[in-house]
Amino acid sequence: QMQLVESGGGLVQPGDSLTLSCVASGLAFGNYAMAWLRQAPGKEREFVSGVTWIGRKYYADSVKGRFTAARDNGRNTLSLEMNSLKPDDTAVYYCAVCYNCPIQTAEEYDHWGQGTQVTVSS
């Protein structure tokens, strides 16, 4: 069965940086997108960043210029370098996978991990 495991979250001050990592296993053969989604308390899960099979990258407007995603198909990994973190970035961050989906639409992702908590204090 498909499994996605996130790591790298923590408690940081505004302006600090964190790098999240996702390791995937059990994926079926074929082209698929990998993405980072996040969910803050009381809010819906939202798209943060995604990378297609061939390496095209997408970012939510709220993180453009601050976050950088990287994908390694050979190692089945996805990372997210987060810089200049803000309190509004506080959320549980999930690694997610979808086949032939609208990449920037969070509700279209059927597979995601257990998440890693990122907390940015004021």
Side-chain angles (χ1 to χ4, degrees), residues 45-112:
R45 188 159 56 242
E46 66 174 339
F47 174 84
V48 178
S49 180
V51 187
T52 71
W53 176 260
I54 60 173
R56 184 174 180 181
K57 299 179 181 180
Y58 297 82
Y59 297 95
D61 289 342
S62 60
V63 307
K64 286 181 179 178
R66 299 190 298 122
F67 292 8
T68 302
R71 177 174 178 172
D72 188 328
N73 290 352
R75 295 188 293 175
N76 297 318
T77 61
L78 179 73
S79 67
L80 185 68
E81 296 182 0
M82 305 185 295
N83 300 307
S84 301
L85 283 162
K86 306 174 180 179
D88 285 348
D89 295 318
T90 296
V92 177
Y93 284 70
Y94 300 92
C95 181
V97 167
C98 72
Y99 292 81
N100 190 32
C101 75
I103 190 169
Q104 298 184 82
T105 306
E107 58 263 31
E108 296 294 330
Y109 287 79
D110 294 324
H111 308 284
W112 60 89

Side-chain angles (χ1 to χ4, degrees), residues 26-50:
L27 294 171
F29 180 83
N31 61 317
Y32 56 89
M34 296 187 71
W36 290 100
L37 314 177
R38 69 185 182 187
Q39 186 168 27
K43 296 185 178 181
E44 299 291 327
R45 188 159 56 242
E46 66 174 339
F47 174 84
V48 178
S49 180

